[in-house]
Amino acid sequence: MILIGLGGNLESARFGPPRRTLEAALERLESQGIRVLARSGFYLSAPVPASSQPWYVNAVARVETGLSPQALLAALLALEAEFGRSRTVLNAARVLDLDLLAYDDRVTPVDAHPALPHPRLTRRAFVLLPLAEIAADWRHPGTGAPVSALIAALPPDQTARPMDRR
């Protein structure tokens, strides 16, 4: 199972508010040879680390592709740039953030490119809650922990709330 995290908290001049930008990014993935099989609902979450930035809109998508993990990550980063993201300051507000969360059952070191599964996914409600919506049976390939246990173990400061019910 290949999982991608989507997020954004800045309005795009081209697409408008973050939710619409994420929807446009999902549509654009299809033209890159990345087929979207399922998408969670959208969630609102506070910036991590805490800051005065606007809250984020987040979602998780399950995709299918013939691209390798490295090629998929490169495609995601190129799409971010196409949508106007510039990487200047760590944890800066952004129009679009695309993360490769998991690629089948692959496990790579934290310093690998890409690190799989994403090294911070177990500590992020804005990843785990939408992930559970579309893959309730997913297990962390490194630890075997089910997504439900990962959600139960989230730090108390991690919150994400659904924007609407699908």
Side-chain angles (χ1 to χ4, degrees):
M1 180 177 313
I2 303 171
L3 299 166
I4 294 173
L6 301 99
N9 68 340
L10 295 178
E11 187 153 320
S12 162
R14 189 167 153 204
F15 301 106
R19 180 176 176 151
R20 179 62 198 123
T21 301
L22 299 187
E23 290 168 343
L26 286 165
E27 291 169 15
R28 183 77 176 96
L29 285 173
E30 296 278 345
S31 68
Q32 303 270 331
I34 304 164
R35 184 170 169 239
V36 177
L37 302 175
R39 182 204 31 98
S40 71
F42 292 103
Y43 285 72
L44 283 174
S45 64
V48 176
S51 73
S52 61
Q53 292 180 29
W55 278 44
Y56 280 80
V57 176
N58 298 98
V60 171
R62 184 166 43 97
V63 302
E64 178 179 79
T65 184
L67 298 173
S68 69
Q70 294 79 8
L72 177 55
L73 180 59
L76 297 177
L77 294 175
L79 189 60
E80 285 180 354
E82 178 185 324
F83 274 59
R85 178 169 183 188
S86 60
R87 292 175 179 267
T88 53
V89 178
L90 186 64
N91 298 316
R94 60 205 75 152
V95 170
L96 180 63
D97 186 28
L98 299 172
D99 289 321
L100 178 55
L101 301 175
Y103 195 105
D104 297 329
D105 290 329
R106 294 183 193 208
V107 177
T108 62
V110 173
D111 61 351
H113 189 72
L116 292 170
H118 192 288
R120 290 178 300 282
L121 76 82
T122 60
R123 299 189 318 261
R124 303 292 192 245
F126 63 79
V127 170
L128 294 175
L129 295 175
L131 191 159
E133 257 187 57
I134 61 168
D137 59 345
W138 185 81
R139 291 180 170 271
H140 189 285
T143 65
V147 69
S148 58
L150 296 172
I151 290 169
L154 280 168
D157 67 336
Q158 281 295 298
T159 59
R161 62 177 187 254
M163 290 181 72
D164 52 30
R165 293 288 173 200
R166 293 173 33 143

